[in-house]
Amino acid sequence: EAQVTQNPRYLITVTGKKLTVTCSQNMNHEYMSWYRQDPGLGLRQIYYSMNVEVTDKGDVPEGYKVSRKEKRNFPLILESPSPNQTSLYFCASSFRDTEDEQYFGPGTRLTVT
Amino acid sequence: AQRVTQPEKLLSVFKGAPVELKCNYSYSGSPELFWYVQYSRQRLQLLLRHISRESIKGFTADLNKGETSFHLKKPFAQEEDSAMYYCALSGAGGDSSYKLIFGSGTRLLVRP
């Protein structure tokens, strides 16, 4: 089944403890991106990747890192999480770019205490 | 600045009533506009895009460049239309087609 998977789905952690949220797609998509969803703000783009080893900042990149070593994987790294990063995170992928249909993962709910 | 505005957080209608979810945008170039929908316990998914000019599940949306709007409409709402709806904007071509901007979303509640 063609899909985007994220792990973990739920995570509670403490301030400063490094964490990684994984994202994987099996559709051979070139474009992948990360969003955070906060009440009243909709989805805001954190980082995106146009292809392997090519990434760039979205609108809210502070406090996050990404890497794209393989086409199918696009992990989101929080090196020193803070409470203001408590949010619902979505990974998405598409064939080439944002003009194409985006396929979303199920979301990861992160709580930083 | 690039921006997508959905002025209504919640829209409540009765089954069979017409529905219009508003979306206004601010963008200096040539935009691609989309509506994404999230049903309860399901993933966010594409509902329709302006370039396809098709009707999906009875919904249509027309891009009005003069009013910079892309409102979503359906003549007769159904209970299964209850969901969260997001309007989104992408630039067209080059580097502008790597960023997607979402509105804050409108929750549609269709009552029996």
Side-chain angles (χ1 to χ4, degrees):
Chain A
E1 179 188 358
Q3 62 178 344
V4 178
T5 57
Q6 291 179 231
N7 282 293
R9 295 288 313 280
Y10 303 90
L11 180 59
I12 300 174
T13 190
V14 296
T15 299
K17 186 176 181 182
K18 180 179 179 179
L19 65 92
T20 299
V21 183
T22 64
C23 173
S24 183
Q25 51 92 6
N26 61 1
M27 296 169 278
N28 201 36
H29 284 168
E30 289 186 357
Y31 181 86
M32 297 185 74
S33 59
W34 276 102
Y35 299 85
R36 61 177 289 171
Q37 184 183 43
D38 300 291
L41 297 177
L43 281 81
R44 293 179 293 166
Q45 196 171 36
I46 302 171
Y47 268 95
Y48 59 90
S49 170
M50 302 82 104
N51 215 322
V52 175
E53 301 291 2
V54 185
T55 64
D56 206 347
K57 297 177 181 178
D59 292 325
V60 288
E62 295 78 19
Y64 304 95
K65 285 178 57 177
V66 293
S67 68
R68 188 95 180 270
K69 293 184 170 55
E70 305 166 285
K71 197 170 186 178
R72 63 183 293 125
N73 296 322
F74 189 45
L76 179 69
I77 303 157
L78 286 71
E79 298 228 326
S80 184
S82 62
N84 64 12
Q85 292 179 298
T86 292
S87 188
L88 180 58
Y89 292 86
F90 289 101
C91 180
S93 72
S94 69
F95 177 67
R96 184 185 54 230
D97 55 34
T98 53
E99 293 185 60
D100 300 315
E101 176 179 359
Q102 304 298 303
Y103 292 84
F104 283 86
T108 294
R109 186 166 294 281
L110 172 65
T111 301
V112 184
T113 61
Chain B
Q2 303 171 32
R3 186 166 52 242
V4 175
T5 302
Q6 294 180 250
E8 304 134 332
K9 287 186 177 180
L10 172 66
L11 185 61
S12 181
V13 301
F14 285 105
K15 176 182 173 182
V19 169
E20 182 177 70
L21 286 81
K22 292 184 168 48
C23 173
N24 289 91
Y25 67 90
S26 173
Y27 188 70
S28 57
S30 179
E32 298 280 346
L33 274 297
F34 307 84
W35 278 99
Y36 280 85
V37 60
Q38 189 169 28
Y39 301 102
S40 179
R41 303 184 193 283
Q42 293 188 28
R43 302 183 184 207
L44 196 61
Q45 58 187 284
L46 179 67
L47 179 62
L48 56 79
R49 52 191 301 175
H50 88 272
I51 61 170
S52 62
R53 303 184 69 81
E54 58 187 343
S55 173
I56 305 292
K57 298 184 178 183
F59 284 97
T60 59
D62 290 319
L63 178 60
N64 186 323
K65 292 187 177 182
E67 296 182 357
T68 59
S69 68
F70 187 57
H71 302 328
L72 184 68
K73 301 177 184 179
K74 185 170 183 177
F76 307 103
Q78 303 299 315
E79 289 181 68
E80 55 265 30
D81 296 329
S82 295
M84 193 74 177
Y85 291 80
Y86 292 96
C87 183
L89 176 153
S90 166
D95 290 346
S96 60
S97 60
Y98 293 121
K99 286 193 172 185
L100 193 59
I101 302 166
F102 283 86
S104 55
T106 297
R107 180 167 298 283
L108 175 64
L109 178 61
V110 182
R111 293 177 288 173

Short mmCIF file of all heavy atoms in Angstrom, two decimals, chain A residues 58-90:
data_model
loop_
_atom_site.label_atom_id
_atom_site.label_comp_id
_atom_site.label_asym_id
_atom_site.label_seq_id
_atom_site.Cartn_x
_atom_site.Cartn_y
_atom_site.Cartn_z
N GLY A 58 11.68 25.90 5.80
CA GLY A 58 10.33 26.39 5.58
C GLY A 58 10.12 27.67 6.36
O GLY A 58 11.06 28.47 6.53
N ASP A 59 8.93 27.86 6.87
CA ASP A 59 8.61 29.09 7.57
C ASP A 59 8.99 29.09 9.05
O ASP A 59 9.18 30.15 9.64
CB ASP A 59 7.10 29.38 7.44
CG ASP A 59 6.71 29.72 6.03
OD1 ASP A 59 7.53 30.38 5.33
OD2 ASP A 59 5.60 29.35 5.60
N VAL A 60 9.10 27.92 9.66
CA VAL A 60 9.38 27.85 11.10
C VAL A 60 10.48 26.82 11.38
O VAL A 60 10.27 25.85 12.09
CB VAL A 60 8.10 27.54 11.91
CG1 VAL A 60 7.18 28.74 11.94
CG2 VAL A 60 7.39 26.30 11.36
N PRO A 61 11.71 27.03 10.89
CA PRO A 61 12.76 26.02 11.03
C PRO A 61 13.52 26.04 12.36
O PRO A 61 14.26 25.09 12.65
CB PRO A 61 13.70 26.38 9.89
CG PRO A 61 13.58 27.87 9.78
CD PRO A 61 12.13 28.17 10.09
N GLU A 62 13.36 27.12 13.14
CA GLU A 62 14.18 27.26 14.34
C GLU A 62 13.96 26.11 15.32
O GLU A 62 12.83 25.79 15.68
CB GLU A 62 13.88 28.59 15.04
CG GLU A 62 14.24 29.82 14.24
CD GLU A 62 13.22 30.13 13.16
OE1 GLU A 62 12.07 29.64 13.26
OE2 GLU A 62 13.56 30.87 12.22
N GLY A 63 15.06 25.51 15.76
CA GLY A 63 14.99 24.42 16.73
C GLY A 63 14.87 23.04 16.11
O GLY A 63 14.78 22.05 16.84
N TYR A 64 14.87 22.97 14.80
CA TYR A 64 14.73 21.69 14.10
C TYR A 64 15.88 21.47 13.13
O TYR A 64 16.50 22.40 12.63
CB TYR A 64 13.42 21.66 13.30
CG TYR A 64 12.18 21.94 14.09
CD1 TYR A 64 11.65 23.23 14.15
CD2 TYR A 64 11.52 20.92 14.77
CE1 TYR A 64 10.51 23.50 14.88
CE2 TYR A 64 10.37 21.18 15.50
CZ TYR A 64 9.87 22.47 15.55
OH TYR A 64 8.73 22.73 16.27
N LYS A 65 16.16 20.19 12.89
CA LYS A 65 17.10 19.80 11.84
C LYS A 65 16.47 18.66 11.05
O LYS A 65 15.61 17.94 11.56
CB LYS A 65 18.42 19.31 12.45
CG LYS A 65 19.31 20.40 12.98
CD LYS A 65 20.57 19.81 13.61
CE LYS A 65 21.35 18.94 12.69
NZ LYS A 65 22.61 18.44 13.31
N VAL A 66 16.93 18.51 9.81
CA VAL A 66 16.47 17.40 8.98
C VAL A 66 17.67 16.86 8.21
O VAL A 66 18.72 17.49 8.13
CB VAL A 66 15.39 17.82 7.98
CG1 VAL A 66 14.09 18.22 8.69
CG2 VAL A 66 15.88 18.95 7.08
N SER A 67 17.46 15.69 7.65
CA SER A 67 18.46 15.12 6.75
C SER A 67 17.74 14.28 5.71
O SER A 67 16.63 13.79 5.95
CB SER A 67 19.49 14.28 7.50
OG SER A 67 18.89 13.11 8.01
N ARG A 68 18.35 14.13 4.55
CA ARG A 68 17.76 13.29 3.48
C ARG A 68 18.88 12.50 2.83
O ARG A 68 19.42 12.85 1.79
CB ARG A 68 17.05 14.18 2.45
CG ARG A 68 16.26 13.38 1.42
CD ARG A 68 14.82 13.23 1.77
NE ARG A 68 14.06 12.48 0.80
CZ ARG A 68 13.43 13.03 -0.24
NH1 ARG A 68 13.52 14.34 -0.46
NH2 ARG A 68 12.74 12.27 -1.08
N LYS A 69 19.21 11.42 3.50
CA LYS A 69 20.30 10.57 3.01
C LYS A 69 19.79 9.53 2.03
O LYS A 69 20.54 9.02 1.19
CB LYS A 69 21.03 9.91 4.17
CG LYS A 69 21.80 10.91 5.05
CD LYS A 69 22.58 10.20 6.14
CE LYS A 69 23.52 11.12 6.87
NZ LYS A 69 22.86 12.30 7.44
N GLU A 70 18.54 9.17 2.17
CA GLU A 70 17.91 8.21 1.25
C GLU A 70 16.62 8.85 0.75
O GLU A 70 16.01 9.67 1.43
CB GLU A 70 17.56 6.91 1.97
CG GLU A 70 18.71 6.24 2.67
CD GLU A 70 18.18 5.17 3.61
OE1 GLU A 70 17.66 5.51 4.67
OE2 GLU A 70 18.31 3.97 3.26
N LYS A 71 16.21 8.44 -0.43
CA LYS A 71 15.03 9.06 -1.02
C LYS A 71 13.79 8.81 -0.19
O LYS A 71 12.92 9.66 -0.09
CB LYS A 71 14.82 8.51 -2.44
CG LYS A 71 13.90 9.35 -3.30
CD LYS A 71 13.94 8.88 -4.72
CE LYS A 71 13.13 9.80 -5.62
NZ LYS A 71 13.19 9.39 -7.04
N ARG A 72 13.65 7.66 0.42
CA ARG A 72 12.43 7.31 1.10
C ARG A 72 12.31 7.90 2.51
O ARG A 72 11.23 7.95 3.06
CB ARG A 72 12.29 5.79 1.16
CG ARG A 72 13.37 5.08 1.96
CD ARG A 72 13.18 3.57 1.90
NE ARG A 72 11.98 3.16 2.60
CZ ARG A 72 11.02 2.44 2.06
NH1 ARG A 72 11.08 2.06 0.79
NH2 ARG A 72 9.96 2.09 2.76
N ASN A 73 13.42 8.32 3.12
CA ASN A 73 13.39 8.74 4.52
C ASN A 73 13.71 10.22 4.71
O ASN A 73 14.62 10.76 4.06
CB ASN A 73 14.38 7.92 5.34
CG ASN A 73 14.02 6.45 5.37
OD1 ASN A 73 12.85 6.09 5.44
ND2 ASN A 73 15.04 5.59 5.31
N PHE A 74 13.01 10.83 5.65
CA PHE A 74 13.22 12.26 5.92
C PHE A 74 12.97 12.51 7.40
O PHE A 74 11.92 13.02 7.81
CB PHE A 74 12.25 13.08 5.05
CG PHE A 74 12.51 14.56 5.05
CD1 PHE A 74 13.78 15.08 4.91
CD2 PHE A 74 11.44 15.46 5.16
CE1 PHE A 74 14.01 16.44 4.90
CE2 PHE A 74 11.65 16.83 5.14
CZ PHE A 74 12.95 17.31 5.01
N PRO A 75 13.92 12.18 8.25
CA PRO A 75 13.72 12.34 9.69
C PRO A 75 13.77 13.80 10.15
O PRO A 75 14.51 14.62 9.58
CB PRO A 75 14.89 11.55 10.28
CG PRO A 75 15.94 11.57 9.21
CD PRO A 75 15.20 11.56 7.91
N LEU A 76 13.00 14.07 11.18
CA LEU A 76 12.99 15.40 11.82
C LEU A 76 13.67 15.26 13.17
O LEU A 76 13.31 14.41 13.97
CB LEU A 76 11.54 15.87 12.01
CG LEU A 76 11.35 17.23 12.69
CD1 LEU A 76 11.83 18.35 11.75
CD2 LEU A 76 9.89 17.44 13.07
N ILE A 77 14.67 16.10 13.40
CA ILE A 77 15.49 16.02 14.60
C ILE A 77 15.30 17.26 15.44
O ILE A 77 15.41 18.39 14.93
CB ILE A 77 16.98 15.88 14.22
CG1 ILE A 77 17.18 14.65 13.31
CG2 ILE A 77 17.85 15.77 15.47
CD1 ILE A 77 18.42 14.72 12.47
N LEU A 78 15.02 17.03 16.73
CA LEU A 78 14.97 18.12 17.70
C LEU A 78 16.13 17.90 18.65
O LEU A 78 16.09 17.00 19.48
CB LEU A 78 13.63 18.14 18.45
CG LEU A 78 12.40 18.64 17.69
CD1 LEU A 78 11.94 17.65 16.62
CD2 LEU A 78 11.28 18.97 18.67
N GLU A 79 17.16 18.67 18.50
CA GLU A 79 18.39 18.42 19.27
C GLU A 79 18.23 18.81 20.74
O GLU A 79 18.78 18.16 21.62
CB GLU A 79 19.56 19.19 18.65
CG GLU A 79 19.89 18.76 17.24
CD GLU A 79 21.37 18.50 17.02
OE1 GLU A 79 22.19 19.19 17.66
OE2 GLU A 79 21.71 17.60 16.22
N SER A 80 17.48 19.85 21.01
CA SER A 80 17.24 20.27 22.38
C SER A 80 15.80 20.78 22.48
O SER A 80 15.55 22.00 22.47
CB SER A 80 18.23 21.36 22.79
OG SER A 80 18.06 21.72 24.15
N PRO A 81 14.87 19.86 22.58
CA PRO A 81 13.45 20.26 22.54
C PRO A 81 13.09 21.22 23.68
O PRO A 81 13.62 21.12 24.80
CB PRO A 81 12.71 18.94 22.69
CG PRO A 81 13.69 17.88 22.33
CD PRO A 81 15.03 18.41 22.71
N SER A 82 12.16 22.11 23.38
CA SER A 82 11.65 23.03 24.39
C SER A 82 10.12 22.94 24.39
O SER A 82 9.52 22.46 23.42
CB SER A 82 12.09 24.46 24.07
OG SER A 82 11.57 24.86 22.82
N PRO A 83 9.49 23.39 25.46
CA PRO A 83 8.03 23.29 25.55
C PRO A 83 7.29 23.94 24.39
O PRO A 83 6.19 23.48 24.03
CB PRO A 83 7.72 23.98 26.88
CG PRO A 83 8.94 23.74 27.71
CD PRO A 83 10.09 23.83 26.75
N ASN A 84 7.86 24.97 23.78
CA ASN A 84 7.15 25.60 22.66
C ASN A 84 7.18 24.76 21.38
O ASN A 84 6.61 25.16 20.35
CB ASN A 84 7.67 27.02 22.39
CG ASN A 84 9.12 27.05 21.94
OD1 ASN A 84 9.71 26.04 21.61
ND2 ASN A 84 9.70 28.25 21.92
N GLN A 85 7.83 23.62 21.45
CA GLN A 85 7.81 22.68 20.33
C GLN A 85 6.77 21.58 20.54
O GLN A 85 6.65 20.67 19.73
CB GLN A 85 9.19 22.08 20.10
CG GLN A 85 10.18 23.12 19.60
CD GLN A 85 11.57 22.56 19.40
OE1 GLN A 85 12.22 22.11 20.35
NE2 GLN A 85 12.05 22.60 18.16
N THR A 86 6.01 21.70 21.61
CA THR A 86 4.87 20.82 21.80
C THR A 86 3.86 21.10 20.70
O THR A 86 3.41 22.23 20.53
CB THR A 86 4.22 21.06 23.18
OG1 THR A 86 5.13 20.63 24.20
CG2 THR A 86 2.90 20.32 23.31
N SER A 87 3.55 20.06 19.92
CA SER A 87 2.72 20.28 18.74
C SER A 87 2.37 18.93 18.10
O SER A 87 2.81 17.88 18.55
CB SER A 87 3.48 21.15 17.73
OG SER A 87 2.64 21.55 16.65
N LEU A 88 1.57 19.03 17.04
CA LEU A 88 1.27 17.86 16.22
C LEU A 88 2.06 18.02 14.92
O LEU A 88 1.94 19.04 14.25
CB LEU A 88 -0.23 17.80 15.93
CG LEU A 88 -0.75 16.65 15.07
CD1 LEU A 88 -0.40 15.30 15.69
CD2 LEU A 88 -2.26 16.77 14.89
N TYR A 89 2.86 17.02 14.61
CA TYR A 89 3.77 17.10 13.46
C TYR A 89 3.31 16.16 12.34
O TYR A 89 2.96 15.01 12.59
CB TYR A 89 5.20 16.74 13.88
CG TYR A 89 5.81 17.76 14.80
CD1 TYR A 89 5.62 17.70 16.17
CD2 TYR A 89 6.57 18.80 14.27
CE1 TYR A 89 6.17 18.66 17.01
CE2 TYR A 89 7.13 19.77 15.10
CZ TYR A 89 6.92 19.68 16.47
OH TYR A 89 7.47 20.64 17.29
N PHE A 90 3.34 16.70 11.13
CA PHE A 90 2.99 15.91 9.96
C PHE A 90 4.13 15.90 8.95
O PHE A 90 4.74 16.93 8.67
CB PHE A 90 1.76 16.50 9.26
CG PHE A 90 0.49 16.31 10.01
CD1 PHE A 90 -0.05 17.34 10.76
CD2 PHE A 90 -0.19 15.10 9.97
CE1 PHE A 90 -1.22 17.17 11.46
CE2 PHE A 90 -1.37 14.92 10.66
CZ PHE A 90 -1.88 15.97 11.42
#
